[in-house]
Amino acid sequence: MEFVKEFATFLYQKGIIKFGDFTLASGKKSSYYVDLRLVPSYPHEFRKMVKYLENEIAQNIGLGKFDSIVSVPTGGLVIASALAIETVKPLIYVRSKPKDYGTSKSVEGKIHDGMEVVMIDDVATTGGSVVNAIKSLKEVNIVIKDAYVIVNRMEGAEEALEELGVKMHSILNILQITESLHEQNLVDDEILEKVKNQIGK
């Protein structure tokens, strides 16, 4: 858990996670905002995060158990690219919508029937973008059983993926982050309560 504490503190100190009143892309209100697209601007922490992710995948499912790493642009793709280099695994990605020129593909990269992939994304809230990507992969006979996210916002993504037969793993969730910051007196009781209310805990 040492990594979780260190990483949570790093996210807070660098303003990658902020607490307050925010409106998300979906229009939903949130008591915090997390933007992991800032992490690659800190190469040491970024590399630590990618190595931790690699170790988690190696321990949980084994690096030999899948053919390729897959992601969705853009946040997750940066992490997946770094992971693909570290693990020497092929990388493919799923477009949010097929391009309307050339080959009109929605899945980019070398694929074949029955290949097994592991999905990587940065943040999961309700799981919408990952659910759509999983459906696109299944349409071209790609097998996916596991998805890894860095931060689980605990608002339904896990359940949405489960319905598609995909297990979602997260490096840390919003409750772990907030509780860790609260223990270190970096955030107050009110912030912790707001986060708990938001996720219904």
Side-chain angles (χ1 to χ4, degrees), residues 84-143:
I85 292 167
E86 285 290 342
T87 54
V88 199
K89 284 277 186 187
L91 176 71
I92 61 174
Y93 66 92
V94 186
R95 292 175 174 273
S96 52
K97 55 181 201 286
K99 55 183 187 179
D100 50 13
Y101 56 89
T103 52
S104 313
K105 288 188 297 196
S106 59
V107 181
E108 297 288 354
K110 186 96 178 86
I111 62 171
H112 60 80
D113 260 13
M115 73 186 279
E116 296 197 17
V117 299
V118 167
M119 167 74 75
I120 305 294
D121 205 5
D122 55 351
V123 178
T125 306
T126 57
S129 57
V130 175
V131 163
N132 292 335
I134 290 168
K135 287 176 178 169
S136 296
L137 293 167
K138 290 190 169 187
E139 278 168 17
V140 290
N141 292 329
I142 290 174
V143 179

Side-chain angles (χ1 to χ4, degrees):
M1 289 301 280
E2 197 50 42
F3 171 82
V4 171
K5 184 181 170 184
E6 270 180 31
F7 197 64
T9 310
F10 155 73
L11 294 179
Y12 181 72
Q13 287 174 340
K14 300 300 180 192
I16 295 166
I17 185 164
K18 294 180 167 77
F19 296 92
D21 295 305
F22 300 95
T23 303
L24 306 177
S26 62
K28 264 181 85 164
K29 298 283 182 213
S30 176
S31 61
Y32 68 94
Y33 185 69
V34 58
D35 185 2
L36 291 183
R37 286 168 298 202
L38 290 166
V39 179
S41 297
Y42 302 93
H44 291 290
E45 282 82 2
F46 181 53
R47 187 152 195 274
K48 253 189 221 170
M49 179 184 85
V50 171
K51 291 301 279 180
Y52 188 84
L53 180 59
E54 178 187 349
N55 289 337
E56 286 289 295
I57 295 171
Q59 283 171 16
N60 290 332
I61 52 177
L63 295 172
K65 288 283 180 4
F66 59 95
D67 303 307
S68 289
I69 290 167
V70 63
S71 192
V72 284
T74 52
L77 191 52
V78 177
I79 299 164
S81 303
L83 182 65
I85 292 167
E86 285 290 342
T87 54
V88 199
K89 284 277 186 187
L91 176 71
I92 61 174
Y93 66 92
V94 186
R95 292 175 174 273
S96 52
K97 55 181 201 286
K99 55 183 187 179
D100 50 13
Y101 56 89
T103 52
S104 313
K105 288 188 297 196
S106 59
V107 181
E108 297 288 354
K110 186 96 178 86
I111 62 171
H112 60 80
D113 260 13
M115 73 186 279
E116 296 197 17
V117 299
V118 167
M119 167 74 75
I120 305 294
D121 205 5
D122 55 351
V123 178
T125 306
T126 57
S129 57
V130 175
V131 163
N132 292 335
I134 290 168
K135 287 176 178 169
S136 296
L137 293 167
K138 290 190 169 187
E139 278 168 17
V140 290
N141 292 329
I142 290 174
V143 179
I144 173 162
K145 295 175 189 158
D146 297 274
Y148 279 80
V149 300
I150 303 301
V151 176
N152 177 7
R153 292 181 53 121
M154 304 174 76
E155 290 181 48
E158 210 163 330
E159 294 77 6
L161 266 64
E162 209 172 287
E163 281 181 22
L164 294 170
V166 177
K167 182 172 171 52
M168 191 179 100
H169 311 258
S170 57
I171 299 306
L172 59 177
N173 64 49
I174 187 57
L175 192 56
Q176 285 175 317
I177 294 171
T178 316
E179 284 180 340
S180 175
L181 296 174
H182 184 260
E183 276 166 25
Q184 299 172 71
N185 298 316
L186 293 169
V187 301
D188 59 20
D189 296 352
E190 189 190 353
I191 285 176
L192 181 59
E193 280 314 306
K194 277 186 174 174
V195 170
K196 283 183 173 176
N197 288 338
Q198 187 173 324
I199 59 175
K201 287 281 185 262

